[in-house]
Structures are given as structure tokens and as C-alpha cells.
Amino acid sequence: MKRLCSALLAAALALSLLAACGHSSGGPGEEPAGSTQETDISQEEGTAAALGSLKSFTAGTLDGKTFTQEDIQARDVTIVNFWALTCPPCIAEMPDLAAFARALPDNVQVITVCLDGFGSEELVREVMSTAEFQGVTLISGDGDLGALCGNLMYTPTTVLADAEGNLAGDAIIGGQRDLSETLLTAVNQVLKGAGKDEISLEGA
């Protein structure tokens, strides 16, 4: 009986990690509307460019600073992970995302956007601290960032921006079986397309 319970728990966890939560339109800092809904979607068809760009925006960070398109321009590739406090798969993958971010070279960065974090900063800090995420987390934003958030349908959604703020490749939707490998492949595709050297993870 114990083995059966353990197997069922493992299966439930695996399903939650590979699911995505429905997201109502609206940018970070806006009140979330409606409840989340789990789906089996793991990869959006088409390209991330259909969601918008990150060429002009101003955003507020979890630590009270400002993040703009100039911070995107400072790196060859910026990985942007959109998540929500109400999305269990988002929180479940955060430690893996944090570990991936720590292993990246300086020309690539990971930022997160918490879509329902404005007004719940302490809870966001708790999630990020538990995951050991050391990068930038945005909790409000306007311009291209606000428009992009309004075009999202599911969380987690991860997109990659080049140094000009163009979104490249496919949007990565839902929990991934091997998040590190998925993101590394996507990053190297963007770098290759820009004529830059591919990367490997530090310590890998």
C-alpha cells in the first residue's frame, strides 16, 4: 500500500511539473482576474515574436529598483520567465531555473516576471529565497512588457530576448522535463542566429 501511495504521489508531482496554468490578460502589477486552470500544453506553436518585444519598457523590481530595455541591451540573451504565485508548476520549477541562472556566463541573464506579485512582495520574496533565485524579479511594468504580459495565455511561459529586445525562437510553455537542457538549447539557437559563440554551463 505504501508503494502504491508513493507511486501515485510521484505521478501527481510529475503531472504538476509538466502542466501550465491559464493566465488572464493583464500586465504585472494588475489585479489577477479569474482562477488558474491546468492544461497539458508544453510548447507554443510558432515563434515567441508573435507575443511582442522588449524594446521599450520600464519595470519595477522586487527590490525597489528600475529595470528597462537598457538592461536587456547589456546582455547577448535575456531569458524572461513569466510566472504567478497562483501557479504551482511555476513555483515547482523555480529552483531549477535558479540553478540554471547561477551557471550561466555573464553574457546571458535570467529574469523573472511575477504577474501577480504587486502587493504580495513578501510572498514573492519567500518563493525566490526558497528557490535560491539571485537574479532580477519584476513585479510591475509598462510599455512593451505590459503588452507582452497581456498576450500571454499560460504560466509558466519563458521567452528569450536578444540584445535588441527582439523575442527569438519559440515560447517555452509549462514545466519542462529537463528545464536546463531546454533553456540551454534555446539560448544557443539565439546566439547562433546572432553570429555569436554558443555557451556551456559553468561546472557542467
Side-chain angles (χ1 to χ4, degrees):
M1 188 67 171
K2 269 188 178 179
R3 287 181 185 171
L4 177 60
C5 289
S6 295
L8 289 173
L9 281 173
L13 178 60
L15 285 173
S16 72
L17 287 171
L18 295 173
C21 299
H23 165 65
S24 298
S25 294
E30 295 183 10
E31 188 70 23
S35 60
T36 60
Q37 183 176 5
E38 302 229 344
T39 89
D40 292 334
I41 292 178
S42 61
Q43 189 76 22
E44 182 187 24
E45 293 182 5
T47 66
L51 295 173
S53 71
L54 288 171
K55 294 183 177 183
S56 178
F57 68 95
T58 300
T61 70
L62 183 60
D63 58 1
K65 297 179 181 178
T66 299
F67 189 95
T68 72
Q69 67 276 356
E70 292 181 1
D71 296 290
I72 299 286
Q73 293 164 2
R75 308 294 178 98
D76 290 333
V77 179
T78 298
I79 301 162
V80 188
N81 174 259
F82 295 89
W83 66 286
L85 292 167
T86 52
C87 171
C90 300
I91 295 172
E93 76 171 4
M94 199 59 71
D96 290 338
L97 184 66
F100 178 80
R102 291 193 299 271
L104 288 170
D106 290 339
N107 65 321
V108 181
Q109 67 180 333
V110 174
I111 67 170
T112 80
V113 181
C114 185
L115 298 167
D116 55 358
F118 189 79
S120 300
E121 288 85 354
E122 284 305 314
L123 188 52
V124 177
R125 287 189 189 96
E126 183 180 331
V127 170
M128 303 317 267
S129 175
T130 300
E132 299 182 356
F133 183 80
Q134 300 168 356
V136 173
T137 292
L138 309 181
I139 57 169
S140 65
D142 61 17
D144 287 347
L145 178 63
L148 200 166
C149 291
N151 290 333
L152 299 177
M153 293 183 65
Y154 304 100
T155 53
T157 292
T158 301
V159 297
L160 280 72
D162 65 17
E164 295 179 358
N166 299 306
L167 300 189
D170 292 326
I172 300 165
I173 299 176
Q176 305 297 303
R177 292 186 186 278
D178 189 338
L179 182 64
S180 179
E181 182 61 31
T182 298
L183 292 178
L184 183 60
T185 298
V187 167
N188 281 330
Q189 286 175 347
V190 175
L191 289 170
K192 185 177 179 181
K196 298 183 181 293
D197 292 337
E198 296 184 11
I199 63 166
S200 58
L201 299 180
E202 294 177 5

